[in-house]
């Protein structure tokens, strides 16, 4: 193995190689890369700034190569930039690359080398993922920013209720979006004055969240007409439908609609060995926020206001089987089926029939 410590040394010789394989370990400030030749020998290892300019300077002059990197904060824009340079980019699922995450000799240089060797041998070992488009990512950022404000609002409301109880008083019951200064009118003067700035921040967050809601409605209406197909299912609003469309991005990436449930980590894990087949929890792989949205939709479908449908009836039958966790399992199962249903509606463009398999009984004619 010949190791070259600087990019400048014999660089032209490297460019003459065919079928180069590159492992790129992304860091927040700097990244390390390792280049392998056809025989798997290391011909160059070095670092570069984790910036668009740094990526361009190193990889723009290299012939089309296979480049492997792990999922992370910088992987979406880096993978798009490398693809635009005509490289074959493999984005490895970080949870699947155990050789890196659980290595006892972990450092950036070895991580880049491991990525390169796995990509050279068999890319499927990396559990490759597909990043969404830049347009989908910026629109999804609007949804994630709203989620951040909602989380902050919930924390402030919980703080207000906790501080009030510790003083021997209580705030009236209401949703977080209804919390404002009016709710503090029943409190003592000194407590109301102490919590005044806190209620002011909650009101401000309510306004900002309402602005995001209007923006999300506008994005869905003007850019993503397929959202209307998904909203045919009662319990799926604009937020859930748009999050689904933006996260999946390309519905044709799945050969079957049922694969979407696995993509979101809503299928049970599997650890079978011999005659042992233990029942495991769901894998929780994939996008956590969309999985949460699917569970919220399932709660509505199985709740008191849910529309009578095949999905609701199936979920209620599961919940009636008894057991301490029967209802929880039913909600997760309905969330998985809901994801499959939304994908099917998106791909087919069909009109949703809530009782397709169990039509309502029409009065018989005498």
């Amino acid at each position: 193995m010949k190791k070259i410590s600087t990019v400048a040394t014999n660089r032209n010789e490297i460019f003459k190689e065919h079928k180069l394989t590159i492992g790129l370990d992304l860091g927040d400030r700097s990244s390390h890369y390792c280049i392998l030749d056809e025989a798997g020998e290391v011909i160059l290892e070095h670092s570069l700034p984790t910036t668009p300019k740094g990526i361009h300077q190193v990889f723009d002059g290299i012939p089309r190569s296979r480049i492997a990197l792990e999922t992370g904060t910088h992987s979406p824009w880096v993978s798009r930039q490398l693809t635009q340079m005509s490289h074959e980019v493999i984005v490895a699922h970080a949870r699947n690359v155990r050789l890196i995450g659980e290595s006892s000799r972990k450092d950036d240089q070895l991580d880049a080398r491991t990525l390169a060797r796995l990509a050279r041998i068999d890319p499927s070992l990396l559990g490759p993922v597909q990043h969404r488009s830049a347009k989908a990512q910026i629109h999804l950022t609007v949804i994630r920013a709203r989620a951040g404000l909602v989380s902050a609002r919930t924390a402030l409301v919980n703080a207000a209720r906790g501080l009030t109880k510790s003083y021997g008083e209580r705030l009236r019951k209401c949703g977080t979006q209804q919390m404002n200064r009016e709710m503090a009118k029943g409190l003592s003067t000194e407590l109301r004055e102490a919590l005044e700035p806190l209620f002011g921040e909650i009101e401000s967050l309510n306004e900002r969240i309402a602005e995001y809601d209007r923006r999300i409605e506008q994005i869905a209406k003007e850019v993503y007409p397929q959202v209307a197909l998904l909203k045919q299912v009662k319990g799926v609003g604009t937020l859930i439908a748009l999050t689904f469309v933006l996260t999946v991005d390309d519905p044709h990436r799945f050969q079957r609609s049922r694969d979407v449930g696995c993509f979101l980590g809503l299928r049970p894990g599997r650890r079978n060995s011999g005659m042992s087949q233990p029942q495991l929890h769901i894998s929780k792989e994939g996008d956590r926020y969309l999985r949460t949205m699917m569970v919220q939709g399932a709660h509505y479908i199985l709740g008191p206001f849910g529309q009578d449908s095949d999905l609701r009836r199936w979920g209620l039958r599961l919940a009636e089987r008894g057991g301490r966790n029967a209802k929880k399992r039913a909600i997760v199962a309905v969330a998985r089926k809901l994801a499959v249903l939304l994908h099917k509606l998106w791909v087919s463009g069909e009109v949703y029939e809530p009782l397709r398999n169990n039509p309502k009984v029409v009065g018989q004619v005498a």
Side-chain angles (χ1 to χ4, degrees):
M1 180 188 74
K2 53 181 179 178
K3 180 177 178 181
I4 305 177
S5 59
T6 62
V7 179
T9 307
N10 293 334
R11 185 164 185 171
N12 292 333
E13 294 298 322
I14 295 172
F15 292 168
K16 294 179 181 179
E17 296 287 347
H18 300 287
K19 297 182 180 179
L20 297 177
T21 306
I22 304 173
L24 177 60
D25 185 69
L26 295 174
D28 188 49
R29 297 290 183 181
S30 63
S31 303
H32 284 73
Y33 63 93
C34 173
I35 302 180
L36 304 180
D37 61 14
E38 296 181 34
E41 294 292 327
V42 176
I43 56 176
L44 179 61
E45 288 179 315
H46 209 265
S47 62
L48 73 158
T50 310
T51 61
K53 182 179 179 181
I55 296 292
H56 183 272
Q57 286 179 340
V58 173
F59 296 104
D60 187 50
I62 297 178
R64 176 178 168 82
S65 307
R66 174 180 292 174
I67 304 177
L69 54 141
E70 281 187 290
T71 53
T73 303
H74 297 283
S75 62
W77 69 264
V78 172
S79 62
R80 286 195 295 267
Q81 184 174 353
L82 291 174
T83 300
Q84 291 172 358
M85 297 177 189
S86 301
H87 292 295
E88 177 191 355
V89 182
I90 301 172
V91 182
H93 196 307
R95 291 180 58 177
N96 290 355
V97 190
R98 302 286 181 174
L99 285 174
I100 293 178
E102 299 180 3
S103 174
S104 60
R105 297 179 61 236
K106 190 178 188 315
D107 63 47
D108 296 340
Q109 187 175 1
L110 288 176
D111 291 352
R113 191 180 300 180
T114 302
L115 281 171
R117 294 198 183 284
L118 289 173
R120 175 180 171 272
I121 296 171
D122 187 353
S124 64
L125 295 174
L126 297 171
V129 302
Q130 179 180 328
H131 278 308
R132 60 189 62 90
S133 64
K135 183 181 76 170
Q137 185 175 353
I138 193 62
H139 288 155
L140 191 59
T141 299
V142 174
I143 294 177
R144 295 292 176 84
R146 178 193 179 276
L149 293 183
V150 170
S151 179
R153 180 180 64 183
T154 300
L156 291 180
V157 170
N158 290 340
R161 291 192 181 280
L163 293 171
T164 304
K165 289 180 182 179
S166 68
Y167 199 71
E169 302 184 36
R170 286 181 182 271
L171 290 167
R172 298 198 305 270
K173 288 185 178 181
C174 68
T176 54
Q177 63 272 23
Q178 281 85 41
M179 183 65 71
N180 53 38
R181 290 183 177 90
E182 294 294 322
M183 295 294 172
K185 283 188 174 181
L187 303 179
S188 59
T189 302
E190 59 270 22
L191 184 58
R192 188 168 60 250
E193 291 177 354
L195 297 179
E196 174 73 16
L198 188 60
F199 284 109
E201 289 300 322
I202 293 174
E203 289 182 350
S204 177
L205 286 174
N206 283 334
E207 294 174 1
R208 302 289 84 76
I209 292 171
E211 291 175 2
Y212 269 123
D213 288 337
R214 291 190 290 270
R215 188 173 177 183
I216 288 170
E217 289 285 350
Q218 182 181 8
I219 291 172
K221 183 178 180 180
E222 297 179 357
V223 186
Y224 301 96
Q226 58 268 46
V227 166
L229 290 172
L230 278 55
K231 289 175 64 177
Q232 294 180 95
V233 182
K234 191 172 183 181
V236 176
T238 301
L239 181 61
I240 294 179
L242 184 58
T243 303
F244 186 89
V245 169
L246 294 176
T247 304
V248 174
D249 197 23
D250 178 15
H252 302 291
R253 62 195 290 193
F254 302 104
Q255 294 183 351
R256 305 173 300 173
S257 293
R258 64 185 299 179
D259 293 337
V260 181
C262 300
F263 169 72
L264 295 180
L266 288 168
R267 63 164 177 81
R270 186 168 57 187
R271 203 172 187 84
N272 299 347
S273 178
M275 299 299 293
S276 175
Q277 297 181 353
Q279 185 177 10
L280 303 178
H281 296 291
I282 58 173
S283 64
K284 294 187 178 181
E285 298 174 342
D287 190 270
R288 177 185 298 180
Y289 185 73
L290 180 55
R291 186 167 58 249
T292 301
M293 291 288 99
M294 292 295 101
V295 171
Q296 287 184 8
H299 272 287
Y300 183 92
I301 290 171
L302 294 180
F305 304 106
Q307 180 186 30
D308 186 21
S309 63
D310 294 332
L311 185 56
R312 174 180 169 85
R313 293 182 182 185
W314 179 80
L316 291 176
R317 286 197 298 269
L318 284 182
E320 291 170 356
R321 290 183 180 178
R324 184 177 59 181
N325 296 319
K327 186 176 181 180
K328 291 181 180 179
R329 287 196 295 267
I331 289 173
V332 172
V334 169
R336 182 171 61 250
K337 284 221 170 211
L338 177 60
V340 174
L341 173 61
L342 295 182
H343 182 267
K344 185 67 176 179
L345 291 174
W346 185 1
V347 173
S348 65
E350 296 178 4
V351 175
Y352 174 57
E353 300 177 45
L355 292 168
R356 184 171 185 173
N357 298 323
N358 298 285
K360 295 181 179 179
V361 177
V362 181
Q364 295 180 354
V365 179

